[in-house]
């Protein structure tokens, strides 16, 4: 694709940004919009310091009201410029030029310029910071991020990459004020977003108040946001607490980033008269993951045997009430643009037993599966697998624990079930979770330690392929490799819901459960 066409696409995206608040927002007439009011959101208020170190979406959702991104991926999985006006790529995808939007200020009055972009990106890629972006944007050396002028930044890549705009919206990649940020965002919460942070108490609450000089304009011709205040309340890890708070009128919105609780919350509130429930197809999932550097999972035949013990339809029905689609043991969903149609493996315990015998386990194997009790879908997945694997001679002992305890061991346990949220492109999640660096060391989120040279070479080729049909051909090979000799099982993909008080307008579902509240307003007649 030529440079001109890429720029044209970015300019088309600017036009499409009307739906995101750059001009007319929502469907209501300007005369109907009312300003003021408080939106109360139930969530988890986790400890934060450096935004680039987020490992959960929940804190990014709170801080996303204060700190913004260079791009934005909408509910249709399309990425647009945001703090950027546009982007431009060279024909070989090795040079990317970022054009910044002018006239934007941080909430302390400082202007947003290229210095902030260069500073923020170098923070993301600093090994001392420890961001997941370091593995994701492996192709970019911090020294190759260059300020051209106050509103233009150039990136010189080490290898071609199609997904730069999508990577810029990776949830830890919030733009920082280079003048005031010193490692702890709570010490100086200066962002370009529509709200200011006035209180943040981990485990309790976060309070945000509207700013009067935000750069986006509402339908009434005045600066957004419409709301006066957003309050995030920490209601813990039990779905019942969130359901009760909504039903009792104590909260107006449930942060569905807690996708592992989504099915119980949906069941509890789908018929509530005050609830606006909107569904969306996503690539959210729970991953059955095996440490390939430890026996018996270092044997490809054993991994295949366990995956053949998945009765996918039964797992989807019992774990998620059928609200989703079947997985195929590779981490590419049908919502991803370059997904390739391949066969879905059948439940086949007889073949699984044959594979175990070929691997040297004629009497079967005994294994321990780590799973968090606070994730109902993961628990149901584990219990169905435990029962159905017996016929193949795989005897599974469930090691159950609280969610916090699982996150302490998620990269260390031999066999576990880990939730993964959606990314807009299949290449992104594959790069995050299943690759190794130039020295052969697994990247930060490669919990299974799986390193496959052929897989990684094809992934690099796919990341450099603009044409979607040509990329789909590569993706088919990638999917088959991961399905056949990879380190994971994926039985199903989840639908996700937005659940909010129907009196709040313009709350939209997002497949990655991101909160976009700049144009939300309270309609007492709703």
């Amino acid at each position: 694709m030529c440079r001109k066409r890429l720029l044209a696409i970015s300019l088309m995206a600017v036009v499409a940004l009307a739906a995101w608040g750059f001009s007319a927002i929502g469907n209501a007439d300007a005369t109907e919009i009312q300003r003021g009011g408080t939106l109360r959101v139930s969530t988890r208020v986790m400890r934060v310091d450096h935004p680039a170190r987020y490992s959960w979406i929940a804190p990014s959702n709170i801080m996303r009201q204060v700190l913004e991104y260079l791009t934005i991926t909408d509910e249709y999985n399309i990425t647009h410029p945001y703090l950027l006006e546009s982007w431009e790529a060279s024909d070989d995808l090795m040079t990317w030029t970022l054009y910044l939007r002018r006239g934007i200020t941080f909430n302390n009055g400082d202007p947003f310029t290229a210095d902030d972009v260069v500073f923020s990106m170098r923070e993301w890629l600093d090994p001392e910071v420890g961001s997941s972006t370091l593995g994701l944007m492996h192709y970019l050396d911090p020294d190759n991020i260059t300020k051209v002028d106050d509103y233009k930044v150039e990136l010189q890549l080490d290898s071609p990459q199609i997904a730069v705009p999508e990577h810029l919206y990776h949830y830890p990649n919030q733009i920082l004020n280079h003048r005031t940020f010193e490692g702890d965002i709570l010490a100086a919460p200066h962002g370009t977003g529509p709200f200011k942070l006035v209180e943040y108490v981990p485990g309790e609450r976060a309070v945000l108040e509207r700013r009067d000089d935000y750069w986006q304009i509402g339908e009434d011709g005045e600066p957004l946001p419409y709301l006066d205040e957003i309050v995030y309340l920490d209601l813990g890890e039990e779905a019942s607490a969130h359901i009760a708070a909504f039903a009792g009128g104590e909260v107006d919105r449930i942060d569905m980033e807690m996708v592992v609780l989504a099915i119980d919350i949906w069941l509890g509130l789908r018929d509530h008269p005050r609830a606006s429930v909107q569904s969306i197809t996503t690539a959210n999932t729970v991953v059955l993951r095996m440490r390939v550097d430890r026996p018996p999972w270092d044997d490809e035949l054993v991994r295949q045997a366990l995956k053949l013990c998945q009765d996918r339809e039964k797992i989807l029905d019992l774990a998620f009430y059928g609200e989703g689609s079947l997985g195929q043991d590779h981490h590419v969903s049908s919502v991803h643009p370059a997904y390739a149609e391949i066969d879905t493996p059948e439940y086949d315990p007889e073949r699984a037993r044959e594979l175990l015998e070929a691997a040297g386990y004629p009497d079967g194997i005994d294994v321990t599966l780590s799973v968090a009790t606070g994730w109902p879908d993961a628990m149901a997945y584990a219990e169905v697998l435990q029962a159905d694997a017996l016929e193949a001679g795989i005897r599974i002992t469930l090691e159950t624990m609280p969610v916090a305890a699982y996150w302490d061991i998620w990269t260390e346990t031999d066999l576990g079930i880990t939730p993964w949220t959606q990314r807009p492109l299949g290449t992104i999640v594959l790069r995050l979770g299943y690759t190794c660096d130039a020295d052969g060391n697994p990247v930060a989120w490669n919990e299974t330690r799986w390193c496959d040279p052929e897989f990684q070479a094809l992934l690099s080729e796919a990341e450099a392929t603009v044409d979607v049909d040509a990329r789909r051909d590569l993706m088919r090979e990638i999917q088959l490799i991961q399905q056949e000799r990879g380190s994971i099982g994926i039985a199903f993909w989840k639908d996700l819901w937005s659940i909010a008080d129907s009196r709040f307008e313009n709350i939209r579902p997002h497949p990655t459960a991101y909160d976009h509240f700049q144009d939300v307003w309270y309609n007492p007649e709703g």
Side-chain angles (χ1 to χ4, degrees):
M1 181 180 289
C2 69
R3 176 181 305 185
K4 183 181 293 184
R5 187 177 172 195
L6 276 168
L7 181 57
I9 289 175
S10 68
L11 293 175
M12 287 170 63
V14 171
V15 175
L17 280 170
W20 286 97
F22 288 80
S23 54
I25 303 174
N27 298 316
D29 295 333
T31 55
E32 295 178 347
I33 291 175
Q34 300 185 42
R35 286 183 172 264
T38 297
L39 177 67
R40 300 161 300 170
V41 183
S42 71
T43 187
R44 298 297 316 281
V45 181
M46 301 173 174
R47 294 190 180 276
V48 297
D49 47 23
H50 200 310
R53 277 197 288 267
Y54 295 149
S55 57
W56 278 85
I57 291 171
S60 82
N61 267 342
I62 297 172
M63 297 307 298
R64 158 187 331 269
Q65 315 309 319
V66 179
L67 307 171
E68 295 184 307
Y69 298 80
L70 296 175
T71 61
I72 192 167
T73 301
D74 64 22
E75 66 262 42
Y76 304 107
N77 217 30
I78 298 172
T79 300
H80 312 272
Y82 203 67
L83 288 177
L84 295 184
E85 184 176 82
S86 62
W87 61 74
E88 184 179 73
S90 60
D91 292 340
D92 61 3
L93 299 178
M94 294 286 285
T95 303
W96 287 75
T97 305
L98 311 180
Y99 298 92
L100 280 58
R101 198 174 293 276
R102 298 169 183 259
I104 295 176
T105 60
F106 290 89
N107 57 30
N108 69 335
D110 290 336
F112 163 66
T113 67
D115 290 320
D116 302 299
V117 174
V118 173
F119 172 80
S120 299
M121 295 186 75
R122 287 178 176 170
E123 288 289 295
W124 308 343
L125 299 174
D126 183 349
E128 295 298 318
V129 171
S131 174
S132 60
T133 304
L134 186 61
L136 182 67
M137 301 185 74
H138 62 98
Y139 50 81
L140 181 60
D141 188 294
D143 292 336
N144 292 333
I145 305 168
T146 305
K147 171 185 174 181
V148 179
D149 60 39
D150 281 347
Y151 297 98
K152 185 189 296 186
V153 173
E154 186 175 277
L155 313 178
Q156 193 65 46
L157 312 189
D158 295 333
S159 59
Q161 176 59 244
I162 58 166
V164 171
E166 285 76 17
H167 291 169
L168 295 176
Y169 198 49
H170 182 42
Y171 64 91
N173 291 351
Q174 294 175 333
I175 295 299
L176 308 166
N177 185 332
H178 80 279
R179 306 162 192 81
T180 63
F181 181 76
E182 296 181 350
D184 183 356
I185 192 60
L186 298 184
H190 300 148
T192 60
F195 292 88
K196 297 180 290 185
L197 182 67
V198 297
E199 182 181 1
Y200 196 103
V201 182
E204 295 183 21
R205 60 196 275 123
V207 180
L208 304 109
E209 294 179 354
R210 80 179 303 275
R211 55 181 290 196
D212 297 325
D213 58 346
Y214 182 53
W215 59 278
Q216 295 192 51
I217 304 300
E219 286 189 15
D220 57 2
E222 298 296 324
L224 292 173
Y226 297 126
L227 296 171
D228 286 337
E229 184 181 57
I230 300 174
V231 178
Y232 283 89
L233 299 170
D234 191 321
L235 297 187
E237 297 174 354
E238 297 297 326
S240 58
H242 299 266
I243 294 168
F246 186 92
E250 298 169 12
V251 299
D252 311 299
R253 156 83 167 177
I254 298 177
D255 181 3
M256 298 305 283
E257 186 275 335
M258 299 177 299
V259 66
V260 289
L261 303 180
I263 192 67
D264 283 353
I265 294 172
W266 173 72
L267 288 169
L269 293 173
R270 58 181 171 171
D271 297 322
H272 193 282
R274 190 166 46 84
S276 171
V277 181
Q278 304 174 68
S279 66
I280 191 168
T281 302
T282 80
N284 287 283
T285 190
V286 284
V287 176
L288 176 68
R289 33 72 76 233
M290 298 160 264
R291 278 280 298 260
V292 301
D293 57 340
R294 295 177 182 168
W297 311 115
D298 56 345
D299 191 319
E300 177 184 323
L301 297 179
V302 178
R303 300 197 298 270
Q304 290 176 0
L306 182 63
K307 289 187 277 188
L308 286 170
C309 293
Q310 299 172 105
D311 188 330
R312 296 164 202 275
E313 289 193 11
K314 183 195 293 187
I315 292 170
L316 176 58
D317 287 343
L318 294 178
F320 222 66
Y321 289 79
E323 296 289 323
S325 57
L326 299 184
Q328 300 169 322
D329 301 333
H330 57 78
H331 210 141
V332 184
S333 163
S334 62
V335 305
H336 292 134
Y339 166 79
E341 291 281 354
I342 64 173
D343 292 336
T344 301
E346 299 287 339
Y347 171 59
D348 192 346
E350 183 177 340
R351 175 59 179 156
R353 185 179 285 276
E354 292 172 355
L355 291 172
L356 286 179
E357 186 170 354
Y361 299 98
D363 299 322
I365 55 172
D366 294 277
V367 299
T368 299
L369 172 59
S370 302
V371 62
T373 55
W375 297 333
D377 52 356
M379 277 299 304
Y381 189 171
E383 290 165 353
V384 174
L385 182 65
Q386 180 186 42
D388 289 347
L390 275 175
E391 190 176 341
I394 301 177
R395 297 172 292 275
I396 299 174
T397 298
L398 298 185
E399 179 187 27
T400 60
M401 63 196 71
V403 170
Y406 184 85
W407 284 124
D408 287 339
I409 62 151
W410 75 287
T411 61
E412 301 305 316
T413 186
D414 291 4
L415 178 66
I417 297 180
T418 303
W420 275 78
T421 194
Q422 168 166 312
R423 270 77 185 182
L425 299 179
T427 53
I428 296 177
V429 70
L430 296 177
R431 177 62 65 179
L432 275 172
Y434 308 101
T435 59
C436 295
D437 63 21
D439 297 322
N441 301 311
V443 295
W445 285 3
N446 186 346
E447 56 184 319
T448 69
R449 312 302 200 271
W450 185 60
C451 298
D452 187 294
E454 183 185 6
F455 172 91
Q456 195 152 324
L458 287 166
L459 177 58
S460 295
E461 189 176 351
E463 290 173 324
T465 302
V466 173
D467 182 80
V468 174
D469 290 332
R471 191 165 4 118
R472 186 173 295 112
D473 290 339
L474 293 166
M475 198 62 75
R476 179 175 291 102
E477 295 182 64
I478 289 168
Q479 292 170 208
L480 288 170
I481 289 173
Q482 192 169 34
Q483 183 187 76
E484 292 167 3
R485 61 177 186 255
S487 54
I488 64 167
I490 291 182
F492 66 98
W493 304 97
K494 305 178 187 181
D495 289 349
L496 193 59
W497 303 274
S498 169
I499 299 178
D501 188 313
S502 59
R503 292 171 293 185
F504 285 88
E505 304 281 352
N506 289 340
I507 292 183
R508 297 174 288 267
H510 192 276
T512 323
Y514 290 162
D515 286 350
H516 301 117
F517 292 151
Q518 75 275 13
D519 63 329
V520 170
W521 60 282
Y522 180 69
N523 178 7
E525 305 300 324

